[in-house]
Amino acid sequence: AATTELPTGGFVFENTQRNKFIEGQGYQVPKAYKTGTTICGLVFKDGIVLGADTRATEDTIVADKNCAKIHYISDNIYCCGAGTAADTEMTTLMISSELELHKLNTGRQPRVCTANRLLKQMLFRYQGHIGAALVLGGVDVTGPHLYSIWPHGSTDKLPFVTMGSGSLAAMATFEDRFKADMSREEAMKLVRDAICAGIFNDLGSGSNVDLCIITKD
């Protein structure tokens, strides 16, 4: 009887010949998309400040100069999206409706950790094929919370986070000037400057700066 060999660990190069043949036929091999965006968020004394640029790109073309990247999740939770615009839009919309049903079922304000769990479980289920890199922020009964969510479903809970192709420039600004318990004005200025750093140092980011301030009120 023929036995099938179990694959060993490491990289698999089974499809290299196939891909070479497909390329030879004049077809284009799929390439990884670059996330042209700068989004970020930070925790301040009374809540959360989220920020995003407004440029949407299609390869080297600016597709939209004023695209809203800060999405509504619930009254106390908002989410910035980087990556494939359609994926971020649809993902946040679906989780927003799930949380609304959760709120109606429980009669309570949804928590940020619930939104985080729903988002990460959905993205993990699709193994990274949904190109949504998110910055989730909100204030609930337990205080302000900020998460970064990667397309494969991993999450980080931090006092300040950045995402997208301009995230390194924004992170440099945060690491230089962030301090705990900042005032609302200081936090807004810092997030604005972090997004501006992304806009000026990354071709995939540009146009305007959008800010979203979330407090317990």
Side-chain angles (χ1 to χ4, degrees):
T3 56
T4 53
E5 257 186 67
L6 286 171
T8 52
F11 289 106
V12 179
F13 295 99
E14 284 168 10
N15 291 329
T16 48
Q17 289 300 110
R18 183 205 66 174
N19 292 350
K20 211 170 174 184
F21 171 75
I22 289 169
E23 232 176 321
Q25 298 297 303
Y27 292 102
Q28 207 175 4
V29 174
K31 59 181 188 292
Y33 271 101
K34 184 170 177 283
T35 65
T37 291
T38 308
I39 54 171
C40 66
L42 67 79
V43 180
F44 74 102
K45 192 168 55 153
D46 304 316
I48 301 282
V49 181
L50 298 175
D53 70 310
T54 63
R55 175 180 289 183
T57 55
E58 199 172 337
D59 199 24
T60 54
I61 299 155
V62 176
D64 187 355
K65 287 189 274 193
N66 202 6
C67 147
K69 298 181 188 181
I70 304 178
H71 308 280
Y72 172 91
I73 300 290
S74 72
D75 292 340
N76 60 317
I77 306 166
Y78 280 78
C79 185
C80 304
T84 310
D87 286 350
T88 60
E89 188 76 47
M90 204 63 211
T91 302
T92 50
L93 208 64
M94 285 166 74
I95 298 309
S96 176
S97 74
E98 266 190 71
L99 270 188
E100 182 62 25
L101 289 171
H102 186 270
K103 178 182 165 182
L104 293 167
N105 278 326
T106 58
R108 294 177 185 181
Q109 187 190 56
R111 292 193 182 189
V112 189
C113 64
T114 311
N116 175 55
R117 175 64 71 92
L118 289 170
L119 283 162
K120 76 190 289 181
Q121 284 181 342
M122 179 184 170
L123 291 172
F124 180 77
R125 195 180 310 128
Y126 286 92
Q127 294 289 300
H129 292 288
I130 292 178
L134 309 168
V135 170
L136 178 75
V139 181
D140 56 32
V141 288
T142 60
H145 302 280
L146 184 68
Y147 296 91
S148 59
I149 306 167
W150 298 83
H152 288 82
S154 61
T155 60
D156 303 315
K157 188 177 193 294
L158 296 161
F160 57 91
V161 295
T162 64
M163 279 281 204
S165 54
S167 61
L168 295 177
M171 184 53 85
T173 308
F174 275 167
E175 287 186 341
D176 181 39
R177 289 166 44 194
F178 177 85
K179 56 183 191 287
D181 298 324
M182 294 172 86
S183 71
R184 183 188 172 118
E185 278 65 39
E186 282 178 316
M188 284 169 70
K189 278 200 183 100
L190 181 52
V191 171
R192 179 200 66 189
D193 293 346
I195 297 295
C196 285
I199 287 171
F200 293 130
N201 295 292
D202 168 45
L203 289 176
S205 310
S207 295
N208 313 318
V209 179
D210 283 346
L211 289 186
C212 173
I213 296 96
I214 310 164
T215 57
K216 64 176 186 295
D217 311 318

